[in-house]
Amino acid sequence: LCRKHSLEVTFNDHPLDLRGDDSHYEDYVAKAGPGVEIRERDYNGKTLKMAKVDSTAKAQNRAFFEVCHTDIMALGLDYWWNDGSRGQMTATSGQLVTNKCCFEESERDGKRGMLLARYGGLGSHRYGAFFTGDASSDWHVLRLQCEFNIRAAGVGLSHVSHDIGGFVTGASSLTKNAAGVDIIDPILYARWLQFGVLGPILRFHSAPGCGSRLPYDYDALVGGACRKWLRVRHSLLPYFYTAAREFYDTGIPLTRGMFLDDPENPVAMRFDQYFCGAGLLVAPILDAGNSREVYLPAGDWFEFETAKTLEGGRAFQCSVEIDEAPVYVPAGTILPRRDPDAPIHAGHVDPLVLDVYPGANGTASLYEDDGRSDGYKSGVFCRSQFRLEGGTLTGEVEEGQPLGATRSLTILWRSTTKPARALLNGKTELPVIESGEGFCISLPTLPSGDRWQLTLS
């Protein structure tokens, strides 16, 4: 069923001890050697032997992965969710060692590696994504997570994953929705979801008995905000994927403190708003109100949702409804987007939508690969470049080869002023159609490798 829907499967694992009633116990103890520590512990009303797993002891490490993991990986598990480990080595930790081993274990049969794991210290960025632990469901934690993303990115840790909505909450903090499902404060949940949508990894998780974290259990209570912003996330997957490749190539993180672009400006040293990639400035609502102060760097800006123009170089007070979030786009930005209902792992984005915010010159890339194999290491990918110069938008393949033969392309011109004319490659006039988000120009289906130029006057 998961494969049918292009979903991957992960199991949560705590590689700490093997219980005496585990079918792997005897084999593990035999292969781990005489150094393995065995003790007795009470577990679910029984006294059981426990064999310790020290991931930094080579014999125990190899025995654990060979005995406990090999058969499960052979069944088709895609990757592990490594939820804690033990061991200590000079200058590193057992967690980082286990993360490395789990990640490399998932690199098989030409498939790229992946891992979701507890943080193993500096260097964790090399081994998949990491999560921040069993946080409580309250506004203070949401504010901390926003700051955490910015600070973690500053030391090279881009792929941060939080339990959206928090992991634990007291029973007294729960209410019920119309279907009788236990939920946390819907306003808190919606704001947390908006923050997660515009961050590196979006993941929902909670402890048993602490209420639902499923978006559809909250959507009717927050004016459709959950569905709306999840669709924004899916439409922006080409943008996020391109930013992920940029991190791989350069170390520039997806979540970027404003001080990375403007280190001499003390106003840019903020930890309650950030750039998500190069083209989105996110100022999440981090408390129970519906307003906050936003600082826009110098230049011309647009509201992401309305395309309303704003002047930068100042701070101002912003108010939004529960289904809205303060997100801003600098003039000259080109955002590659896709149909939010398209398959998640579609390597070739077709149709492609380019959201273009005029008013300044700008460039953007679209990075594509198959999303699964390690072919990208040997050049099996496509990087397209788009340039905006005045009223002329140009697209061409910059590196690699297209993954599909043709592409349908729509330009969404995010402006309140309708272009009088749209001319493709200097000869074909195209209709300019007003939409609720700007003005649409649909290009005819073109060979994916062809260079094209659209002039708007």
Side-chain angles (χ1 to χ4, degrees):
L1 181 61
C2 290
R3 295 290 182 268
K4 178 182 177 182
H5 293 284
S6 299
L7 298 176
E8 295 184 333
V9 179
T10 180
F11 286 170
N12 181 276
D13 190 18
H14 292 69
L16 299 169
D17 300 279
L18 260 74
R19 303 194 311 266
D21 61 350
D22 190 309
S23 61
H24 303 92
Y25 178 83
E26 297 294 341
D27 284 348
Y28 169 74
V29 171
K31 290 190 175 183
V36 64
E37 177 186 327
I38 298 177
R39 57 201 172 110
E40 289 190 345
R41 259 185 69 189
D42 289 335
Y43 182 83
N44 285 348
K46 297 185 293 184
T47 300
L48 296 174
K49 288 182 178 180
M50 297 279 187
K52 183 177 179 179
V53 179
D54 183 345
S55 63
T56 63
K58 185 175 289 187
Q60 294 179 37
N61 182 302
R62 289 180 175 175
F64 174 78
F65 281 95
E66 288 175 10
V67 172
C68 300
H69 276 195
T70 300
D71 290 348
I72 298 175
M73 298 299 288
L75 289 172
L77 187 73
D78 290 291
Y79 61 90
W80 290 99
W81 175 353
N82 180 23
D83 201 347
S85 51
R86 63 159 55 96
Q88 188 59 48
M89 295 175 67
T90 302
T92 188
S93 70
Q95 184 69 50
L96 185 57
V97 171
T98 311
N99 291 355
K100 176 182 186 296
C101 294
C102 287
F103 180 83
E104 292 175 347
E105 190 179 37
S106 70
E107 294 181 297
R108 64 196 191 280
D109 303 325
K111 185 174 179 290
R112 70 182 64 173
M114 177 53 186
L115 174 70
L116 177 63
R118 286 192 180 274
Y119 174 56
L122 297 180
S124 291
H125 67 283
R126 296 176 60 87
Y127 309 115
F130 72 92
F131 62 94
T132 50
D134 300 344
S136 58
S137 301
D138 59 58
W139 291 103
H140 174 65
V141 170
L142 176 56
R143 289 190 290 273
L144 284 177
Q145 289 185 356
C146 181
E147 180 171 347
F148 185 96
N149 281 11
I150 296 168
R151 292 188 182 277
V155 292
L157 303 169
S158 182
H159 299 330
V160 182
S161 167
H162 302 292
D163 296 341
I164 296 302
F167 182 72
V168 294
T169 189
S172 61
S173 299
L174 297 175
T175 58
K176 292 186 182 295
N177 65 12
V181 177
D182 286 335
I183 58 172
I184 62 171
D185 174 11
I187 303 300
L188 171 63
Y189 180 87
R191 296 307 188 194
W192 218 315
L193 181 144
Q194 290 165 352
F195 163 72
V197 159
L198 296 165
I201 307 289
L202 178 62
R203 182 178 60 85
F204 302 95
H205 180 52
S206 64
C210 291
S212 169
R213 300 295 185 273
L214 298 174
Y216 50 74
D217 286 329
Y218 293 85
D219 203 41
L221 297 171
V222 291
C226 300
R227 177 178 175 82
K228 170 185 173 180
W229 285 98
L230 288 173
R231 290 180 67 78
V232 168
R233 172 81 179 193
H234 276 249
S235 76
L236 284 169
L237 285 180
Y239 175 76
F240 281 100
Y241 203 64
T242 300
R245 177 65 200 231
E246 183 181 10
F247 172 66
Y248 175 84
D249 289 332
T250 68
I252 298 174
L254 192 139
T255 296
R256 306 170 186 185
M258 294 191 300
F259 48 81
L260 291 182
D261 289 332
D262 197 5
E264 303 301 322
N265 183 0
V267 183
M269 293 295 295
R270 304 183 63 129
F271 296 95
D272 63 348
Q273 62 179 70
Y274 55 90
F275 279 100
C276 177
L280 297 173
L281 179 61
V282 183
I285 300 294
L286 301 173
D287 57 39
N290 64 353
S291 65
R292 59 158 293 160
E293 183 185 87
V294 176
Y295 172 73
L296 293 181
D300 295 325
W301 292 80
F302 293 80
E303 287 184 350
F304 173 70
E305 292 191 72
T306 67
K308 175 185 174 183
T309 56
L310 298 165
E311 181 183 351
R314 64 189 181 94
F316 63 95
Q317 199 69 19
C318 166
S319 295
V320 294
E321 299 298 328
I322 188 59
D323 66 333
E324 300 171 332
V327 184
Y328 305 91
V329 186
T333 295
I334 304 166
L335 297 178
R337 301 179 74 170
R338 51 157 242 168
D339 179 354
D341 296 318
I344 294 172
H345 288 296
H348 180 60
V349 183
D350 184 30
L352 173 68
V353 177
L354 296 178
D355 283 15
V356 180
Y357 294 82
N361 295 339
T363 62
S365 292
L366 170 67
Y367 172 78
E368 300 164 290
D369 63 29
D370 65 17
R372 295 184 180 275
S373 78
D374 61 2
Y376 68 94
K377 294 180 180 179
S378 56
V380 184
F381 63 82
C382 183
R383 196 190 312 270
S384 303
Q385 185 181 62
F386 309 103
R387 293 189 302 276
L388 177 64
E389 296 177 340
T392 300
L393 181 67
T394 305
E396 60 187 332
V397 173
E398 180 182 33
E399 185 180 6
Q401 295 293 325
L403 278 69
T406 62
R407 175 145 34 215
S408 299
L409 185 63
T410 297
I411 309 303
L412 182 58
W413 191 257
R414 299 301 305 272
S415 173
T416 56
T417 303
K418 182 178 181 179
R421 191 182 188 203
L423 202 60
L424 177 64
N425 296 330
K427 56 185 180 181
T428 305
E429 187 164 351
L430 302 176
V432 179
I433 300 172
E434 186 173 357
S435 78
E437 300 177 292
F439 299 94
C440 286
I441 303 101
S442 295
L443 276 61
T445 299
L446 299 171
S448 298
D450 281 10
R451 183 181 187 275
W452 55 266
Q453 188 174 78
L454 182 68
T455 302
L456 302 174
S457 58

